[in-house]
Amino acid sequence: MASKFELKKSKNDKFVFNLLAGNGQVILTSEMYDSKASALNGIESVRKNAPNDGRYGRLCAKDGSPYFTLKAANGQVIGQSQMYSGEKARDAGIESVQQNAPGAVTSDLTAAG
């Protein structure tokens, strides 16, 4: 399976997308967007910014779990990872986004359900 963005509508009528790796695992989740057009712009921003290592924030949650964020050129967070077991796993997650995002297709699931 190729990597892809899945665009979904949330229960509160906002839009959110996930970037899935080739194995189907979610490697990046977006913020909530008010409109579908804004979410699609967010996907384009992830594609454009993902290869740039300087756009990633390498962070730790309150419980010490490492995770990362991806920021646009304007500094706004456009995606966040899941929590990882360690920094090495987090860094592998960043590499996965860098490799998968630029060529990922968009699967629009907003029409379903």
Side-chain angles (χ1 to χ4, degrees):
M1 181 178 120
S3 57
K4 65 180 177 179
F5 289 98
E6 281 189 347
L7 177 62
K8 299 177 181 178
K9 200 169 192 179
S10 66
K11 288 181 175 66
N12 62 356
D13 279 342
K14 302 227 182 221
F15 294 85
V16 63
F17 62 83
N18 289 313
L19 174 60
L20 279 64
N23 62 4
Q25 185 177 356
V26 173
I27 52 176
L28 191 75
T29 300
S30 75
E31 308 299 305
M32 292 284 184
Y33 292 93
D34 290 326
S35 72
K36 184 175 178 176
S38 295
L40 290 170
N41 285 339
I43 290 171
E44 281 308 310
S45 187
V46 170
R47 281 191 184 115
K48 188 169 74 177
N49 290 290
N52 185 339
D53 194 63
R55 297 271 193 261
Y56 291 88
R58 291 162 173 86
L59 307 164
C60 283
K62 287 187 177 114
D63 70 357
S65 300
Y67 70 101
F68 65 86
T69 58
L70 174 61
K71 294 183 180 181
N74 64 5
Q76 184 176 348
V77 172
I78 48 179
Q80 181 175 314
S81 72
Q82 314 299 315
M83 297 298 156
Y84 288 95
S85 57
E87 290 181 12
K88 194 171 181 179
R90 177 197 58 205
D91 292 345
I94 291 171
E95 280 182 34
S96 184
V97 173
Q98 289 174 323
Q99 292 167 3
N100 287 293
V105 297
T106 301
S107 177
D108 186 350
L109 305 179
T110 60

XYZ file of all heavy atoms in Angstrom:
838
model
N 0.837 -1.182 0.000
C 0.000 0.000 0.000
C 0.880 1.243 0.000
O 1.854 1.318 0.736
C -0.887 -0.021 1.247
C -1.835 1.155 1.350
S -2.894 1.028 2.814
C -2.415 2.524 3.659
N 0.525 2.209 -0.809
C 1.268 3.468 -0.842
C 0.802 4.361 0.304
O -0.296 4.207 0.831
C 1.032 4.160 -2.178
N 1.651 5.304 0.680
C 1.259 6.248 1.723
C 0.166 7.163 1.183
O 0.053 7.378 -0.021
C 2.472 7.057 2.174
O 3.055 7.724 1.074
N -0.658 7.679 2.113
C -1.738 8.556 1.680
C -2.207 9.457 2.812
O -1.994 9.169 3.988
C -2.923 7.745 1.157
C -3.614 6.892 2.210
C -4.790 6.122 1.599
C -5.434 5.214 2.627
N -6.571 4.492 2.068
N -2.825 10.553 2.404
C -3.521 11.426 3.341
C -4.977 11.000 3.347
O -5.568 10.804 2.287
C -3.456 12.889 2.890
C -2.101 13.513 3.027
C -1.252 13.589 1.938
C -1.677 14.038 4.231
C 0.003 14.176 2.053
C -0.423 14.627 4.358
C 0.406 14.698 3.266
N -5.560 10.839 4.527
C -6.994 10.573 4.646
C -7.657 11.809 5.226
O -7.359 12.207 6.351
C -7.262 9.369 5.556
C -7.049 8.048 4.882
C -7.517 6.864 5.711
O -7.782 7.034 6.919
O -7.600 5.767 5.145
N -8.546 12.398 4.448
C -9.283 13.582 4.872
C -10.635 13.139 5.401
O -11.376 12.433 4.709
C -9.456 14.542 3.691
C -10.264 15.810 3.945
C -9.606 16.674 5.011
C -10.416 16.591 2.646
N -10.943 13.531 6.644
C -12.184 13.102 7.296
C -12.919 14.304 7.873
O -12.324 15.347 8.133
C -11.888 12.132 8.443
C -11.207 10.858 8.028
C -10.899 9.995 9.234
C -10.198 8.711 8.823
N -9.849 7.878 9.954
N -14.202 14.101 8.115
C -15.004 15.098 8.808
C -15.237 14.588 10.222
O -15.609 13.442 10.426
C -16.334 15.281 8.078
C -17.021 16.580 8.392
C -18.180 16.805 7.436
C -18.671 18.228 7.556
N -19.772 18.504 6.651
N -15.001 15.447 11.204
C -15.170 15.046 12.606
C -16.632 15.182 13.025
O -17.457 15.722 12.297
C -14.284 15.908 13.496
O -14.723 17.248 13.459
N -16.914 14.697 14.211
C -18.288 14.744 14.736
C -18.798 16.176 14.890
O -19.990 16.420 14.835
C -18.367 14.015 16.077
C -18.250 12.512 15.942
C -18.362 11.846 17.313
C -18.362 10.332 17.208
N -17.102 9.783 16.717
N -17.896 17.131 15.085
C -18.311 18.527 15.249
C -18.257 19.314 13.934
O -18.159 20.538 13.929
C -17.492 19.222 16.334
C -16.015 19.267 16.002
O -15.568 18.727 15.002
N -15.231 19.900 16.856
N -18.309 18.589 12.815
C -18.335 19.184 11.472
C -17.073 19.951 11.097
O -17.105 20.838 10.270
C -19.569 20.079 11.281
C -20.808 19.267 10.946
O -20.650 18.104 10.527
O -21.922 19.794 11.113
N -15.962 19.608 11.727
C -14.678 20.174 11.326
C -13.956 19.121 10.491
O -14.348 17.963 10.444
C -13.859 20.559 12.547
C -14.568 21.542 13.443
C -13.668 22.661 13.834
C -14.426 23.589 14.768
N -14.168 24.963 14.471
N -12.890 19.555 9.840
C -12.138 18.660 8.961
C -10.767 18.385 9.561
O -10.135 19.266 10.136
C -12.001 19.290 7.573
C -13.310 19.423 6.863
C -14.125 20.521 7.070
C -13.751 18.427 6.007
C -15.352 20.644 6.430
C -14.979 18.534 5.367
C -15.779 19.641 5.574
N -10.319 17.142 9.404
C -9.030 16.711 9.935
C -8.444 15.706 8.947
O -9.180 15.007 8.251
C -9.190 16.095 11.352
C -10.040 14.844 11.332
C -7.853 15.822 12.011
N -7.120 15.652 8.864
C -6.496 14.633 8.020
C -5.388 13.923 8.763
O -4.798 14.458 9.697
C -5.976 15.221 6.692
C -4.899 16.262 6.837
C -3.564 15.897 6.999
C -5.205 17.610 6.779
C -2.570 16.868 7.117
C -4.215 18.585 6.901
C -2.897 18.204 7.061
N -5.163 12.685 8.341
C -4.055 11.871 8.831
C -3.165 11.517 7.655
O -3.666 11.285 6.552
C -4.559 10.565 9.454
C -5.264 10.795 10.767
O -4.789 11.512 11.624
N -6.424 10.184 10.930
N -1.871 11.453 7.907
C -0.933 10.902 6.928
C -0.656 9.479 7.356
O -0.235 9.233 8.491
C 0.367 11.715 6.892
C 1.488 11.147 6.018
C 1.071 11.030 4.556
C 2.746 12.001 6.145
N -0.930 8.534 6.456
C -0.706 7.120 6.730
C 0.514 6.641 5.965
O 0.667 6.953 4.775
C -1.916 6.282 6.297
C -3.103 6.220 7.256
C -3.737 7.575 7.453
C -4.141 5.258 6.736
N 1.375 5.885 6.646
C 2.530 5.264 5.996
C 2.042 4.111 5.129
O 0.868 3.739 5.160
C 3.515 4.766 7.050
N 2.950 3.547 4.376
C 2.621 2.437 3.496
C 2.011 1.242 4.203
O 1.247 0.477 3.617
N 2.297 1.094 5.508
C 1.751 -0.035 6.276
C 0.390 0.303 6.902
O -0.156 -0.487 7.661
C 2.743 -0.458 7.370
C 3.008 0.646 8.391
O 2.416 1.721 8.350
N 3.927 0.374 9.298
N -0.126 1.504 6.603
C -1.430 1.892 7.126
C -1.397 2.577 8.478
O -2.416 3.000 8.997
N -0.208 2.719 9.061
C -0.072 3.347 10.369
C -0.126 4.869 10.229
O 0.490 5.449 9.335
C 1.260 2.935 10.994
C 1.437 3.434 12.407
C 2.734 2.940 13.033
O 3.480 2.164 12.466
N 3.004 3.423 14.229
N -0.872 5.522 11.138
C -0.943 6.989 11.151
C 0.394 7.532 11.637
O 0.868 7.170 12.713
C -2.086 7.481 12.068
C -2.050 8.996 12.201
C -3.433 7.024 11.543
N 1.005 8.409 10.834
C 2.293 8.977 11.232
C 2.217 10.484 11.478
O 3.151 11.069 12.011
C 3.418 8.642 10.214
C 3.015 9.006 8.786
C 3.805 7.180 10.319
C 4.116 8.778 7.758
N 1.099 11.113 11.099
C 0.918 12.543 11.347
C -0.573 12.851 11.337
O -1.300 12.341 10.485
C 1.616 13.364 10.258
C 1.736 14.868 10.503
C 2.820 15.158 11.550
C 2.071 15.606 9.229
N -1.025 13.670 12.295
C -2.429 14.085 12.382
C -2.478 15.603 12.358
O -1.686 16.260 13.031
C -3.066 13.557 13.686
O -2.985 12.127 13.680
C -4.523 13.970 13.796
N -3.423 16.140 11.607
C -3.542 17.593 11.482
C -4.304 18.198 12.651
O -4.896 17.494 13.472
C -4.277 17.946 10.190
O -5.668 17.691 10.316
N -4.323 19.511 12.662
C -5.207 20.267 13.539
C -6.618 20.158 12.958
O -6.803 19.644 11.866
C -4.778 21.740 13.562
C -3.300 21.971 13.866
C -2.882 21.454 15.230
O -3.491 21.840 16.234
O -1.950 20.643 15.294
N -7.611 20.693 13.642
C -8.979 20.747 13.122
C -9.126 21.980 12.233
O -8.638 23.061 12.571
C -9.990 20.847 14.263
C -10.066 19.605 15.103
S -10.988 18.334 14.237
C -11.027 17.068 15.470
N -9.784 21.803 11.110
C -10.025 22.908 10.176
C -11.522 23.161 10.059
O -12.321 22.223 10.071
C -9.476 22.562 8.789
C -7.969 22.472 8.732
C -7.322 21.248 8.908
C -7.197 23.596 8.485
C -5.932 21.160 8.853
C -5.805 23.515 8.422
C -5.186 22.297 8.602
O -3.829 22.208 8.542
N -11.897 24.437 9.893
C -13.307 24.802 9.750
C -13.864 24.442 8.384
O -15.050 24.172 8.246
C -13.511 26.308 9.992
C -13.306 26.674 11.454
O -13.638 25.847 12.329
O -12.809 27.780 11.719
N -13.023 24.453 7.361
C -13.507 24.170 6.009
C -12.661 23.099 5.335
O -11.487 22.905 5.683
C -13.492 25.441 5.152
O -12.158 25.795 4.830
N -13.263 22.437 4.373
C -12.558 21.413 3.607
C -11.406 22.043 2.823
O -10.310 21.479 2.747
C -13.546 20.729 2.662
C -12.965 19.581 1.879
C -14.071 18.908 1.087
C -13.561 17.791 0.234
N -14.652 17.093 -0.448
N -11.640 23.237 2.272
C -10.596 23.920 1.504
C -9.372 24.197 2.377
O -8.233 24.015 1.928
C -11.135 25.222 0.915
N -9.593 24.606 3.620
C -8.472 24.860 4.540
C -7.710 23.575 4.834
O -6.481 23.574 4.902
C -8.984 25.460 5.848
O -9.551 26.717 5.622
N -8.436 22.473 5.010
C -7.786 21.182 5.267
C -6.950 20.750 4.066
O -5.830 20.255 4.223
C -8.829 20.122 5.604
N -7.487 20.945 2.862
C -6.731 20.594 1.650
C -5.475 21.461 1.526
O -4.418 20.971 1.125
C -7.617 20.726 0.407
C -8.721 19.673 0.303
C -9.707 20.020 -0.808
C -8.143 18.280 0.085
N -5.573 22.732 1.913
C -4.386 23.593 1.937
C -3.380 23.081 2.952
O -2.172 23.154 2.732
C -4.775 25.045 2.270
C -5.433 25.744 1.106
O -5.296 25.353 -0.040
N -6.171 26.800 1.411
N -3.881 22.564 4.092
C -3.013 21.982 5.100
C -2.247 20.783 4.566
O -1.050 20.622 4.840
N -2.934 19.945 3.807
C -2.278 18.777 3.188
C -1.158 19.239 2.261
O -0.043 18.708 2.288
C -3.305 17.900 2.445
C -4.208 17.191 3.460
C -2.599 16.888 1.535
C -5.394 16.461 2.859
N -1.450 20.252 1.433
C -0.418 20.785 0.526
C 0.768 21.337 1.309
O 1.918 21.163 0.914
C -1.010 21.866 -0.384
C -1.805 21.310 -1.543
C -1.033 20.255 -2.341
O 0.130 20.507 -2.736
O -1.588 19.161 -2.558
N 0.482 21.989 2.421
C 1.539 22.537 3.262
C 2.406 21.428 3.851
O 3.635 21.554 3.917
C 0.918 23.394 4.370
O 1.912 24.056 5.096
N 1.779 20.324 4.262
C 2.554 19.178 4.773
C 3.450 18.636 3.665
O 4.642 18.388 3.889
C 1.629 18.070 5.329
C 2.432 16.800 5.622
C 0.920 18.543 6.587
N 2.884 18.468 2.463
C 3.695 17.960 1.341
C 4.919 18.845 1.103
O 6.018 18.355 0.869
C 2.857 17.925 0.056
C 1.935 16.754 -0.037
C 1.355 16.643 -1.448
N 0.393 15.557 -1.500
C -0.902 15.729 -1.734
N -1.391 16.920 -1.978
N -1.699 14.686 -1.767
N 4.708 20.149 1.156
C 5.765 21.113 0.853
C 6.807 21.190 1.970
O 8.003 21.290 1.705
C 5.124 22.490 0.623
C 6.076 23.541 0.104
C 5.344 24.787 -0.364
C 4.844 25.577 0.823
N 4.177 26.836 0.434
N 6.369 21.143 3.215
C 7.274 21.354 4.350
C 7.897 20.078 4.908
O 8.911 20.144 5.602
C 6.530 22.092 5.469
C 6.243 23.525 5.100
O 7.151 24.341 5.028
N 4.988 23.837 4.826
N 7.319 18.917 4.617
C 7.794 17.661 5.204
C 9.275 17.369 4.961
O 9.955 16.906 5.878
C 6.939 16.493 4.711
N 9.817 17.619 3.761
C 11.232 17.283 3.555
C 12.210 18.145 4.346
O 13.364 17.771 4.524
C 11.433 17.508 2.051
C 10.060 17.457 1.461
C 9.151 18.015 2.512
N 11.781 19.298 4.859
C 12.659 20.250 5.536
C 12.799 19.894 7.015
O 11.892 20.122 7.811
C 12.071 21.656 5.357
C 12.968 22.731 5.918
O 13.821 22.475 6.762
N 12.772 23.950 5.453
N 13.952 19.381 7.382
C 14.181 18.927 8.759
C 14.002 20.049 9.784
O 13.583 19.811 10.907
C 15.580 18.314 8.887
C 15.734 17.541 10.180
O 15.009 16.545 10.366
O 16.564 17.953 11.021
N 14.270 21.277 9.384
C 14.149 22.412 10.288
C 12.719 22.757 10.662
O 12.480 23.546 11.574
N 11.750 22.171 9.983
C 10.335 22.442 10.250
C 9.766 21.551 11.366
O 8.614 21.700 11.742
C 9.492 22.234 8.993
C 9.821 23.153 7.864
C 9.009 24.425 7.935
N 9.121 25.162 6.682
C 9.940 26.185 6.511
N 10.718 26.576 7.495
N 9.986 26.806 5.357
N 10.585 20.629 11.868
C 10.096 19.691 12.890
C 10.478 20.153 14.283
O 11.614 20.531 14.531
C 10.672 18.286 12.651
C 10.121 17.646 11.409
C 10.728 17.850 10.179
C 8.972 16.863 11.459
C 10.214 17.287 9.023
C 8.446 16.304 10.299
C 9.073 16.518 9.096
O 8.559 15.970 7.950
N 9.507 20.093 15.179
C 9.772 20.310 16.592
C 9.858 18.958 17.265
O 8.934 18.152 17.163
N 10.971 18.693 17.893
C 11.172 17.423 18.609
C 10.875 17.676 20.080
O 11.657 18.334 20.755
C 12.585 16.914 18.374
C 12.802 16.452 16.935
C 14.275 16.372 16.571
N 14.492 15.781 15.258
C 14.462 16.468 14.117
N 14.209 17.778 14.122
N 14.667 15.850 12.959
N 9.747 17.156 20.543
C 9.217 17.523 21.854
C 8.995 16.303 22.733
O 9.065 15.163 22.264
C 7.883 18.258 21.652
C 7.939 19.447 20.686
C 6.549 19.851 20.249
C 8.668 20.609 21.317
N 8.724 16.565 24.013
C 8.362 15.509 24.959
C 7.094 15.920 25.695
O 6.958 17.071 26.108
C 9.477 15.268 25.974
S 10.849 14.318 25.321
N 6.178 14.976 25.852
C 4.945 15.214 26.595
C 5.256 15.287 28.084
O 6.371 14.977 28.519
C 3.949 14.088 26.311
N 4.261 15.659 28.872
C 4.450 15.768 30.329
C 4.929 14.456 30.948
O 5.670 14.453 31.914
C 3.139 16.200 30.992
C 2.797 17.648 30.756
C 1.581 18.062 31.569
C 1.291 19.533 31.368
N 0.041 19.796 30.690
N 4.489 13.331 30.363
C 4.906 12.029 30.908
C 6.258 11.572 30.356
O 6.699 10.468 30.630
C 3.825 10.973 30.652
C 3.700 10.588 29.183
O 4.411 11.163 28.316
O 2.862 9.710 28.887
N 6.893 12.431 29.550
C 8.211 12.104 29.015
C 8.196 11.428 27.657
O 9.245 11.160 27.081
N 6.997 11.131 27.126
C 6.901 10.467 25.818
C 7.308 11.428 24.700
O 6.752 12.519 24.592
C 5.468 10.004 25.560
O 5.049 9.098 26.535
N 8.252 11.012 23.867
C 8.653 11.866 22.750
C 7.581 11.903 21.659
O 6.883 10.919 21.417
C 9.916 11.200 22.214
C 10.320 10.200 23.222
C 9.080 9.823 23.964
N 7.454 13.060 21.020
C 6.600 13.222 19.850
C 7.160 14.369 19.027
O 8.140 15.007 19.416
C 5.141 13.467 20.239
C 4.855 14.814 20.864
C 4.279 15.841 20.107
C 5.146 15.080 22.190
C 4.011 17.088 20.676
C 4.878 16.312 22.767
C 4.309 17.318 22.004
O 4.045 18.541 22.558
N 6.565 14.615 17.863
C 7.038 15.731 17.058
C 5.865 16.494 16.450
O 4.756 15.985 16.356
C 8.007 15.270 15.954
C 7.394 14.373 14.910
C 6.746 14.908 13.797
C 7.485 12.996 15.013
C 6.197 14.079 12.834
C 6.936 12.165 14.052
C 6.292 12.709 12.951
N 6.166 17.744 16.086
C 5.221 18.558 15.334
C 5.890 18.964 14.028
O 7.130 18.999 13.941
C 4.815 19.832 16.100
O 5.990 20.587 16.398
C 4.072 19.497 17.387
N 5.071 19.246 13.034
C 5.556 19.780 11.762
C 4.954 21.163 11.608
O 3.741 21.333 11.761
C 5.123 18.874 10.601
C 5.442 19.387 9.188
C 6.946 19.561 8.977
C 4.872 18.440 8.134
N 5.799 22.153 11.331
C 5.343 23.535 11.210
C 5.499 24.032 9.786
O 6.421 23.630 9.068
C 6.144 24.449 12.147
C 5.897 24.161 13.608
C 6.654 25.119 14.493
C 6.379 24.802 15.954
N 7.089 25.725 16.851
N 4.593 24.926 9.409
C 4.681 25.600 8.116
C 5.746 26.692 8.196
O 6.274 26.991 9.271
C 3.323 26.202 7.765
N 6.028 27.327 7.076
C 7.031 28.387 7.027
C 6.690 29.531 7.978
O 7.580 30.184 8.509
C 7.167 28.904 5.599
N 5.394 29.758 8.223
C 4.971 30.844 9.117
C 5.022 30.449 10.596
O 4.630 31.224 11.459
C 3.561 31.323 8.752
C 2.492 30.257 8.957
O 2.758 29.163 9.462
N 1.282 30.573 8.553
N 5.472 29.230 10.886
C 5.611 28.778 12.267
C 4.377 28.108 12.841
O 4.390 27.631 13.965
N 3.294 28.057 12.059
C 2.058 27.424 12.533
C 2.179 25.903 12.452
O 2.660 25.366 11.464
C 0.884 27.896 11.677
C -0.455 27.377 12.160
C -1.609 27.944 11.345
O -1.455 28.868 10.570
N -2.768 27.355 11.526
N 1.745 25.213 13.510
C 1.772 23.748 13.519
C 0.723 23.227 12.533
O -0.443 23.605 12.594
C 1.505 23.188 14.937
C 1.349 21.670 14.899
C 2.636 23.573 15.876
N 1.154 22.373 11.609
C 0.226 21.794 10.632
C 0.004 20.305 10.858
O -0.888 19.714 10.261
C 0.689 22.053 9.173
C 2.176 21.715 8.989
C 0.404 23.481 8.781
C 2.705 21.920 7.589
N 0.785 19.709 11.746
C 0.585 18.303 12.055
C 1.356 17.900 13.295
O 2.344 18.537 13.656
N 0.859 16.848 13.938
C 1.506 16.318 15.140
C 1.514 14.805 15.061
O 0.585 14.199 14.551
C 0.755 16.783 16.387
C 1.382 16.286 17.678
C 0.693 16.855 18.908
O 0.426 18.032 18.978
N 0.404 15.990 19.866
N 2.566 14.223 15.610
C 2.685 12.766 15.625
C 1.946 12.165 16.805
O 1.457 12.872 17.681
C 4.166 12.375 15.714
O 4.655 12.660 17.027
N 1.953 10.860 16.839
C 1.514 10.115 18.017
C 2.648 10.175 19.038
O 3.728 10.669 18.741
C 1.258 8.637 17.639
C 0.459 8.411 16.387
C -0.935 8.996 16.459
O -1.626 8.836 17.451
N -1.343 9.704 15.423
N 2.420 9.639 20.229
C 3.495 9.544 21.223
C 4.343 8.307 20.891
O 3.824 7.285 20.454
C 2.919 9.407 22.637
C 2.109 10.600 23.075
S 3.086 12.109 23.132
C 1.805 13.334 22.935
N 5.632 8.427 21.114
C 6.562 7.337 20.820
C 7.177 6.797 22.101
O 7.207 7.476 23.128
C 7.672 7.830 19.876
C 7.190 8.062 18.469
C 6.796 9.328 18.055
C 7.110 7.023 17.554
C 6.350 9.551 16.765
C 6.665 7.227 16.264
C 6.290 8.491 15.876
O 5.844 8.700 14.600
N 7.726 5.585 21.986
C 8.338 4.925 23.146
C 9.701 5.511 23.472
O 10.174 5.398 24.599
C 8.479 3.431 22.860
O 9.251 3.235 21.679
N 10.342 6.123 22.492
C 11.664 6.698 22.718
C 12.031 7.659 21.608
O 11.336 7.740 20.588
N 13.144 8.375 21.808
C 13.563 9.375 20.831
C 13.944 8.750 19.488
O 13.686 9.329 18.438
C 14.731 10.196 21.383
C 14.303 11.112 22.513
C 15.440 11.959 23.052
O 16.517 12.010 22.423
O 15.242 12.576 24.117
N 14.518 7.567 19.516
C 14.906 6.896 18.277
C 13.669 6.577 17.433
O 13.664 6.770 16.220
C 15.688 5.616 18.609
C 16.415 5.014 17.441
C 17.327 3.881 17.899
C 18.079 3.292 16.731
N 18.976 2.225 17.125
N 12.608 6.111 18.093
C 11.355 5.805 17.396
C 10.730 7.091 16.840
O 10.217 7.113 15.725
C 10.385 5.099 18.339
N 10.796 8.178 17.643
C 10.268 9.466 17.169
C 11.023 9.936 15.929
O 10.426 10.373 14.949
C 10.375 10.519 18.266
C 9.897 11.889 17.775
C 10.347 13.035 18.647
N 11.793 13.078 18.764
C 12.441 13.621 19.784
N 11.765 14.146 20.800
N 13.752 13.643 19.818
N 12.335 9.829 15.961
C 13.135 10.277 14.829
C 12.853 9.439 13.585
O 12.844 9.955 12.466
C 14.623 10.264 15.179
C 14.962 11.329 16.230
O 14.136 12.232 16.464
O 16.057 11.244 16.817
N 12.562 8.161 13.782
C 12.166 7.303 12.658
C 10.810 7.756 12.110
O 10.575 7.696 10.901
C 12.110 5.844 13.096
N 9.929 8.220 12.991
C 8.639 8.756 12.567
C 8.808 10.000 11.713
O 8.122 10.170 10.692
N 9.726 10.876 12.099
C 10.017 12.077 11.309
C 10.531 11.682 9.931
O 10.081 12.208 8.910
C 11.035 12.980 12.045
C 10.382 13.605 13.288
C 11.577 14.073 11.110
C 11.339 14.347 14.198
N 11.459 10.729 9.898
C 11.981 10.250 8.611
C 10.867 9.697 7.735
O 10.846 9.916 6.523
C 13.046 9.169 8.832
C 14.396 9.713 9.200
C 15.428 8.605 9.360
O 15.344 7.591 8.634
O 16.317 8.761 10.219
N 9.934 9.000 8.352
C 8.813 8.427 7.612
C 7.953 9.519 6.983
O 7.552 9.420 5.826
C 7.981 7.540 8.538
O 6.953 6.912 7.825
N 7.672 10.586 7.745
C 6.902 11.707 7.198
C 7.679 12.367 6.060
O 7.116 12.663 5.001
C 6.543 12.738 8.298
C 5.900 13.981 7.691
C 5.609 12.118 9.323
N 8.983 12.566 6.268
C 9.808 13.203 5.234
C 9.772 12.413 3.922
O 9.721 12.995 2.848
C 11.253 13.339 5.715
C 11.411 14.384 6.800
C 12.816 14.419 7.388
O 13.464 13.385 7.554
N 13.278 15.608 7.727
N 9.766 11.083 4.039
C 9.787 10.237 2.851
C 8.402 10.056 2.240
O 8.258 10.000 1.017
C 10.367 8.861 3.192
C 11.842 8.907 3.543
C 12.338 7.612 4.176
O 11.594 6.646 4.305
N 13.580 7.608 4.601
N 7.363 9.971 3.073
C 6.031 9.624 2.588
C 5.168 10.801 2.159
O 4.381 10.688 1.218
C 5.269 8.823 3.655
C 5.790 7.412 3.789
O 5.652 6.605 2.897
N 6.417 7.124 4.913
N 5.275 11.926 2.852
C 4.341 13.032 2.611
C 4.399 13.633 1.207
O 3.346 13.858 0.601
C 4.532 14.119 3.667
N 5.588 13.905 0.665
C 5.610 14.615 -0.621
C 4.854 13.916 -1.752
O 4.219 14.574 -2.569
C 7.101 14.726 -0.947
C 7.767 14.699 0.386
C 6.933 13.740 1.215
N 4.874 12.601 -1.790
C 4.219 11.878 -2.874
C 2.910 11.215 -2.504
O 2.330 10.483 -3.306
N 2.426 11.468 -1.288
C 1.207 10.793 -0.831
C -0.023 11.324 -1.553
O -0.162 12.527 -1.752
C 1.048 10.982 0.681
N -0.907 10.403 -1.939
C -2.162 10.795 -2.568
C -3.154 11.184 -1.476
O -2.962 10.852 -0.301
C -2.743 9.650 -3.430
C -1.812 9.305 -4.586
C -3.036 8.423 -2.589
N -4.205 11.889 -1.856
C -5.243 12.288 -0.892
C -6.483 11.442 -1.103
O -7.000 11.366 -2.226
C -5.598 13.775 -1.044
O -4.410 14.547 -0.837
C -6.662 14.201 -0.045
N -6.930 10.801 -0.041
C -8.154 10.017 -0.055
C -9.207 10.822 0.708
O -9.096 11.003 1.924
C -7.889 8.670 0.618
O -9.080 7.919 0.690
N -10.214 11.327 -0.011
C -11.250 12.160 0.592
C -12.370 11.283 1.115
O -13.149 10.710 0.358
C -11.770 13.143 -0.458
C -12.752 14.142 0.117
O -13.191 13.968 1.286
O -13.093 15.105 -0.600
N -12.441 11.160 2.444
C -13.474 10.344 3.079
C -14.626 11.189 3.611
O -15.486 10.677 4.307
C -12.844 9.536 4.223
C -11.645 8.654 3.871
C -11.119 7.937 5.095
C -12.009 7.656 2.787
N -14.645 12.479 3.273
C -15.671 13.361 3.817
C -17.049 13.087 3.234
O -18.050 13.406 3.852
C -15.329 14.852 3.616
O -15.214 15.106 2.214
C -14.021 15.207 4.315
N -17.103 12.509 2.051
C -18.395 12.231 1.414
C -19.043 10.994 2.017
O -20.252 10.834 1.994
C -18.216 12.049 -0.074
N -18.210 10.108 2.592
C -18.729 8.867 3.163
C -19.335 9.135 4.532
O -18.813 9.917 5.317
C -17.599 7.845 3.294
N -20.443 8.482 4.808
C -21.066 8.578 6.122
C -21.638 9.926 6.376
O -21.670 10.459 7.405
